[in-house]
Amino acid sequence: MVRLLGRTGLRSSRRPSGPRRPGAQSRADLVSASDARGTAHLPQSSSPPPSGEERETDQRRPGALAALRSALTGRSVAGQVFLLHVIIVLLLVLTAVAALLLQVRRDTTQEARNRSLAVAEAFAYAPGTREALSGPNPSAVLQPAAEATRITSKVDFIVVMNNQGVRYTHPVRERIGQQFVGNLEPALAGMPVIEEINGTLGRLVQAIVPVKAMDGRVVGLVSAGVTTEHVGGAASRQLPLVLGAAASGLALATAGTALVSRRLLRQTHGLGPREMTRMYEHHDAVLHSVREGVIILSDDGKLLLSNDEARRLLDLPDDAERRHVTDLGLPSDTAALLASGRTATDEVRLVRGRLLAINQRPTDRGGGPPGSVATLRDSTELRALSGRAEVARERLTLLYDAGGAVGTSLSVRRTAEELAELAVPRFADFVTVDLYEAVLEGEEPEAGSDLRRTASTGIREGAPLYPLGHRIQFVASSPQAHGLHSGRAVLEPRLGDAPGWLAQDIERTTAVVAYGIHSLITAPVRAGSLVLGLVNFWRSEKPESYDVEDVALAEELVARAAVSIDNARRYTREHSMAETLQRSLLPQRLPEQGALDIAYRYLPAQAGVGGDWFDVLPLSGARVALVVGDVVGHGLHAAATMGRLRTAVHNFSALDLPPDELLGLLDELVARIDQNEMAEDTSAPVTGATCLYAIYDPASRRCTIARAGHPPPALIQPDGEVGFPDVPAGPPLGLGGLPFETADLELPEGSRLVLYTDGLVEDRERDIDDALELLRAWLADAGPSPEDTCRAVLDARPPSRSSDDIALIVARTRALVPDQIAEWDVPMDPAAVGEVRASVTRRLAEWGLDELNFTTELILSELVTNAIRYGSPPLHVRVVREHSLICEVFDGSSTSPHLRYAGMTDEGGRGLFLVAQLAERWGTRYTPTGKVIWAEQPLP
């Protein structure tokens, strides 16, 4: 039991003998009887029956009056409750009376305002009031009506006055004609006014209302007033009722409180010393029953009280009480905490091999005695459980974080790096990821092939593990080989005692052990039945080795990462296939031509291949066609559509069509592609494409451009000025229904024409006009050559990769010098053919091309003869020496010749056949005024 200061032993339940006072004796007897009955477990709510002695004592009491007087004294709890109730009731009564008076006063004033305003408005708007004010004697007419209305409406006065405030009516006739007292300005302005004033009749409320003529002018004023004492009679009538109710409530409350106090006094028996001691003994028993240690210390650090649990937890000696806490043999930090008396909440201290959670509070708060009380709870087992729970929580958090941190990109290498970065240092000190080389290329690995170290991360640099990028072939005895073969994680708790792992590379593995790496978990990266590689978790800092629970965590972590790695592998394969297809469809090298100096760049998109393409197409007459296009979307579908459109442009350009006609044919082709794909698959994406087609003629230095929904070209003049020619913007390909327009530009020699796709300028954060201005600035800072221009534009772009493909072509123009062109106008006479042959022979001699005399004469003879026979004037011959010798015959007819085999009996029809055999290429193109038949011969 708890020992109390000044007590030598357990409390005795025997009562001392001797004479007692009658009243005290009866209460003591009652307490003793109550104690005895408490041991017999009688109900607490039952009152003990009085004994014979007590009944005699009750007869000697003064009776009910004495009991009531005792209850009402302030020395007992009952008396204090009684006084408190009386005070509360009095306060409530006073508050109710004050609230009533305030309410009555407010209601009185409001009623006076409403009544005065209503009476004044009624009299002002009454029939005859306005007419009486304009009559010769307003008082004679209005005074009787005003008095009758005043008596009927129960107001104190009704005063009618003119605009100067002179009264026409008043209850006191002597005051008629005198000046009215009040604020007339608002009423004269046409607004009624209510005011409270101290008038001749006392405190009153008066309202002033204007009397208006038909045109809205104020012709007079009406005032009605009520004194507040004539309105507020309700307060005096209600106050006696309230006071009577309050007195009745006070009497009832006093009587009820007296009865409750008397009952309380009888049930508590006065709460004497014996009763307080008995109460303490019950508390003492409870104190020793709890499973927490409780100690009470004085303000100078001496132990005053300790229960049994505290003695057991702290291993206190028998004479611990009254000793200073620092003299009890406790650890210094625990003794210092208890002696300080400061507030502590669940502070853990190691005492006698136990982890004790200590809560301490001072006892002098709220007027208590100085000192402190502390509770002690053994948390050793709880700490062990919470430690394991914390480890489990950290592992769950690690797995949860893996879902968001691993697999953020579709790169195999980056996914492997994210796994390694996540596990260090939360699960391992070093992490290495080894994947098959085929996996890095997007293919399925083959068993037995080499692995490559793809990711390596650690808490510090310099670990003697295989470096990044190293090709590894694991020996059969190594745990990595076992993991690859079995598909399950393998644990090596002590690497220094693992001969199979040490045999991998004696020199390196010995260095790893010497470096401090002592435990390993190797887990295969599995995607279904496919093993993609290994993840190795190495431990060096923690002395504990990995265990079975760590293996389960490693397997789960790698399994989650394996899904992302396999997805990245599949994406790499598909991306490589699509990119290979796309690049195979793009020009592998530029064709030979002499009209333009060309440089180009192609940048694939960051995610998925796109449908951007470009082409350079040599045409007849030394002309060159430039084409840039963009198919909407990404992936294989876009790349395949791009290939179809590029092939179509090649075929259409062979017909020597103008740019607007070629775009019209492309528009029909795209529309047919959409119709065919929608017929086969209703969910197929609609093909959309843009295109820009330009033809440059070096002989005339003219460039014809048409575009279908494509960004406009940029033109850099020879002096460096950058502009965007006004090329009509047609609709994108596939919409149909609208013709395309062309723009004819004359380009000085040395001009640079810049064609590009929208990936170069479009940005979600920038307007297209701002992007074009930015492109203008990039081009203005570029060098003079096409290669310098491409490099300057791409170097000036932001470093982040674009989400769309970029195709860029820069073409610097050349012009044919007059010495490279020979032209003749030929009359429509067969005799002129000989003169043409002679002129061509002379020009070929000047050019040093005598070897081509025979074939050129034959070609021109046949072409000119056909033009004279089947064509129409004017007839014109042009010979151009460029990278080949080009012969062109112009005429005004649109009839095109056709190559055919002549019969054995035919006299003609072999001329074009000879031309086709002698020339490298030949063909027909149409002009606005006719056609041109041309033939090309290679230069010797």
Side-chain angles (χ1 to χ4, degrees):
M1 299 296 288
V2 178
R3 297 179 181 270
L4 297 176
L5 293 179
R7 296 173 60 188
T8 59
L10 294 178
R11 177 179 174 86
S12 174
S13 61
R14 298 179 58 187
R15 291 177 294 173
S17 60
R20 292 172 296 181
R21 292 184 299 108
Q25 180 179 0
S26 63
R27 287 193 296 270
D29 291 343
L30 287 173
V31 172
S32 300
S34 176
D35 292 346
R37 285 189 298 269
T39 59
H41 304 284
L42 292 178
Q44 295 182 1
S45 61
S46 301
S47 299
S51 61
E53 183 181 356
E54 290 172 344
R55 284 195 296 268
E56 295 176 357
T57 305
D58 290 339
Q59 293 176 0
R60 291 192 297 266
R61 290 179 180 177
L65 184 59
L68 180 60
R69 187 184 304 110
S70 175
L72 298 180
T73 58
R75 299 178 182 179
S76 65
V77 175
Q80 295 177 2
V81 170
F82 170 77
L83 293 178
L84 180 61
H85 277 226
V86 171
I87 293 173
I88 292 175
V89 172
L90 287 175
L91 290 177
L92 291 177
V93 170
L94 294 177
T95 303
V97 172
L100 176 62
L101 293 176
L102 293 176
Q103 181 66 28
V104 169
R105 180 178 180 182
R106 189 183 70 84
D107 294 342
T108 298
T109 303
Q110 187 63 35
E111 181 181 354
R113 294 171 66 92
N114 295 339
R115 187 187 301 178
S116 61
L117 179 61
V119 172
E121 287 181 342
F123 196 88
Y125 301 148
T129 303
R130 181 175 54 203
E131 290 77 8
L133 287 172
S134 59
N137 190 1
S139 295
V141 177
L142 296 175
Q143 175 66 14
E147 286 301 301
T149 303
R150 179 181 67 82
I151 296 172
T152 303
S153 60
K154 298 182 179 180
V155 296
D156 292 313
F157 66 87
I158 296 178
V159 176
V160 183
M161 68 196 84
N162 60 12
N163 291 350
Q164 288 75 33
V166 177
R167 301 187 183 100
Y168 289 148
T169 65
H170 196 277
V172 182
R173 289 184 175 272
E174 289 77 7
R175 297 182 183 179
I176 296 176
Q178 297 180 3
Q179 189 70 25
F180 179 80
V181 179
N183 185 13
L184 304 181
E185 282 77 11
L188 292 175
M191 299 296 294
V193 61
I194 303 174
E195 57 184 0
E196 297 181 24
I197 63 173
N198 292 320
T200 57
L201 302 177
R203 184 67 179 177
L204 56 86
V205 176
Q206 64 181 11
I208 306 173
V209 177
V211 180
K212 298 181 180 179
M214 297 298 294
D215 56 356
R217 293 180 299 103
V218 178
V219 297
L221 304 174
V222 176
S223 175
V226 182
T227 56
T228 55
E229 64 178 0
H230 293 166
V231 182
S236 59
R237 293 193 300 269
Q238 295 179 6
L239 186 58
L241 179 61
V242 173
L243 293 178
S248 300
L250 180 60
L252 292 176
T254 303
T257 304
L259 293 176
V260 172
S261 300
R262 180 181 178 185
R263 183 174 180 83
L264 179 62
L265 181 65
R266 185 175 65 251
Q267 290 182 348
T268 58
H269 306 292
L271 294 177
R274 289 178 57 85
E275 290 75 17
M276 295 299 297
T277 302
R278 182 61 178 171
M279 181 182 299
Y280 174 78
E281 289 177 349
H282 280 86
H283 289 177
D284 191 16
V286 172
L287 186 64
H288 286 275
S289 300
V290 297
R291 295 190 58 188
E292 288 190 359
V294 179
I295 59 174
I296 300 178
L297 298 98
S298 63
D299 57 346
D300 57 356
K302 292 183 178 181
L303 181 63
L304 300 180
L305 181 146
S306 62
N307 67 348
D308 296 341
E309 185 68 10
R311 290 176 177 274
R312 184 184 69 84
L313 295 176
L314 299 177
D315 195 14
L316 297 177
D318 295 337
D319 59 345
E321 294 178 1
R322 293 184 174 274
R323 293 175 58 182
H324 198 275
V325 70
T326 56
D327 299 334
L328 301 178
L330 300 176
S332 58
D333 57 342
T334 305
L337 171 62
L338 298 176
S340 64
R342 64 177 176 85
T343 301
T345 303
D346 286 337
E347 294 193 15
V348 180
R349 296 290 187 272
L350 180 62
V351 180
R352 307 288 194 265
R354 299 185 181 92
L355 290 174
L356 302 183
I358 302 176
N359 290 273
Q360 184 169 264
R361 296 291 185 274
T363 58
D364 55 357
R365 295 179 178 177
S372 62
V373 59
T375 60
L376 314 172
R377 186 175 67 255
D378 191 354
S379 62
T380 305
E381 295 181 359
L382 181 61
R383 284 284 169 174
L385 292 175
S386 61
R388 289 194 292 270
E390 181 66 19
V391 172
R393 187 192 64 80
E394 292 178 355
R395 292 182 174 181
L396 289 176
T397 303
L398 178 64
L399 294 176
Y400 175 80
D401 293 343
V406 179
T408 60
S409 68
L410 290 174
S411 169
V412 176
R413 285 185 172 84
R414 181 55 193 156
T415 303
E417 292 172 356
E418 290 172 347
L419 172 60
E421 293 169 358
L422 175 70
V424 175
R426 300 168 66 177
F427 180 65
D429 298 321
F430 299 91
V431 174
T432 57
V433 182
D434 306 324
L435 300 177
Y436 288 106
E437 291 195 50
V439 174
L440 300 177
E441 298 172 359
E443 303 297 332
E444 293 186 2
E446 296 181 0
S449 58
D450 294 344
L451 289 87
R452 186 174 294 277
R453 181 134 297 177
T454 309
S456 180
T457 304
I459 57 176
R460 57 182 179 272
E461 301 292 336
L465 301 170
Y466 286 120
L468 194 66
H470 187 79
R471 296 182 61 179
I472 307 172
Q473 181 70 43
F474 291 104
V475 299
S477 62
S478 64
Q480 288 87 348
H482 290 303
L484 290 174
H485 179 71
S486 64
R488 301 298 302 272
V490 178
L491 170 64
E492 283 293 348
R494 290 176 294 277
L495 293 177
D497 301 334
W501 176 77
L502 293 172
Q504 172 67 32
D505 185 345
I506 298 297
E507 182 178 354
R508 186 176 295 275
T509 53
T510 303
V512 169
V513 174
Y515 188 76
I517 299 176
H518 60 83
S519 188
L520 164 68
I521 295 177
T522 178
V525 181
R526 294 182 54 188
S529 60
L530 192 64
V531 178
L532 307 178
L534 288 167
V535 180
N536 304 297
F537 301 94
W538 312 84
R539 176 171 286 182
S540 64
E541 293 296 316
K542 293 182 179 180
E544 300 85 3
S545 300
Y546 282 121
D547 55 20
V548 177
E549 293 183 357
D550 295 324
V551 173
L553 175 61
E555 286 184 331
E556 180 65 23
L557 186 62
V558 174
R560 298 193 178 196
V563 177
S564 299
I565 293 176
D566 188 53
N567 290 339
R569 178 191 67 84
R570 294 173 183 270
Y571 171 78
T572 301
R573 180 184 61 187
E574 295 179 1
H575 184 74
S576 299
M577 293 172 57
E579 193 172 10
T580 301
L581 173 63
Q582 184 185 33
R583 290 192 178 276
S584 66
L585 296 175
L586 291 173
Q588 303 303 310
R589 62 183 182 87
L590 297 180
E592 294 183 2
Q593 47 82 31
L596 298 169
D597 291 331
I598 295 177
Y600 67 91
R601 293 288 189 277
Y602 177 78
L603 276 68
Q606 181 178 5
V609 295
D612 293 14
W613 91 91
F614 64 92
D615 225 330
V616 179
L617 306 173
L619 303 177
S620 62
R623 297 171 306 138
V624 177
L626 299 176
V627 58
V628 176
D630 183 8
V631 176
V632 176
H634 295 83
L636 291 175
H637 181 270
T641 304
M642 177 266 289
R644 298 167 72 177
L645 295 181
R646 181 170 179 259
T647 303
V649 171
H650 269 267
N651 296 333
F652 294 151
S653 66
L655 302 177
D656 269 328
L657 297 175
D660 54 341
E661 295 184 16
L662 186 141
L663 291 181
L665 295 176
L666 282 181
D667 183 61
E668 294 180 3
L669 174 62
V670 173
R672 286 198 301 272
I673 291 175
D674 286 340
Q675 292 176 0
N676 295 336
E677 291 184 352
M678 290 296 292
E680 297 176 0
D681 184 6
T682 57
S683 63
V686 176
T687 301
T690 64
C691 184
L692 185 147
Y693 190 82
I695 297 177
Y696 174 70
D697 186 355
S700 61
R701 294 184 288 105
R702 299 197 66 83
C703 182
T704 305
I705 306 176
R707 62 188 178 112
H710 203 79
L715 180 63
I716 307 176
Q717 301 289 344
D719 59 358
E721 181 182 356
V722 181
F724 294 93
D726 185 13
V727 180
L733 299 177
L735 297 182
L738 295 176
F740 296 95
E741 301 181 65
T742 60
D744 290 326
L745 309 176
E746 184 174 350
L747 306 181
E749 185 177 8
S751 302
R752 282 169 286 168
L753 189 64
V754 182
L755 309 181
Y756 54 90
T757 55
D758 56 2
L760 181 66
V761 294
E762 284 191 355
D763 192 338
R764 296 178 180 177
E765 301 179 357
R766 248 196 328 262
D767 186 72
I768 185 62
D769 294 333
D770 297 336
L772 292 178
E773 289 300 321
L774 189 60
L775 177 60
R776 186 199 301 271
W778 296 345
L779 295 174
D781 296 336
S785 69
E787 190 67 30
D788 292 339
T789 305
C790 289
R791 186 182 306 110
V793 170
L794 296 183
D795 290 346
R797 288 184 66 252
S800 59
R801 296 187 62 186
S802 174
S803 59
D804 195 5
D805 294 4
I806 296 177
L808 174 65
I809 301 179
V810 179
R812 184 171 58 187
T813 60
R814 297 176 181 174
L816 296 178
V817 298
D819 184 59
Q820 292 180 277
I821 304 175
E823 298 181 278
W824 302 277
D825 292 326
V826 180
M828 301 296 290
D829 185 0
V833 177
E835 185 179 349
V836 171
R837 287 199 299 267
S839 299
V840 168
T841 300
R842 289 192 298 268
R843 180 52 63 97
L844 291 179
E846 294 175 3
W847 287 344
L849 300 176
D850 296 329
E851 299 178 9
L852 301 179
N853 280 339
F854 175 76
T855 56
T856 305
E857 289 180 2
L858 183 58
I859 290 172
L860 284 179
S861 297
E862 292 296 333
L863 296 181
V864 172
T865 300
N866 282 342
I868 292 174
R869 180 176 299 178
Y870 303 108
S872 60
L875 182 61
H876 185 77
V877 175
R878 184 173 75 170
V879 179
V880 179
R881 176 178 61 85
E882 207 244 353
H883 65 284
S884 62
L885 184 65
I886 305 171
C887 299
E888 297 176 322
V889 177
F890 299 79
D891 71 88
S893 173
S894 60
T895 303
S896 176
H898 297 282
L899 181 65
R900 64 181 179 87
Y901 285 97
M904 295 297 294
T905 58
D906 291 343
E907 295 181 0
R910 296 175 178 81
L912 284 180
F913 184 80
L914 292 176
V915 171
Q917 296 298 316
L918 296 176
E920 185 179 44
R921 292 194 310 155
W922 77 280
T924 303
R925 74 173 183 269
Y926 295 93
T927 65
T929 59
K931 69 177 183 295
V932 180
I933 303 176
W934 56 272
E936 290 186 6
Q937 303 174 76
L939 296 178

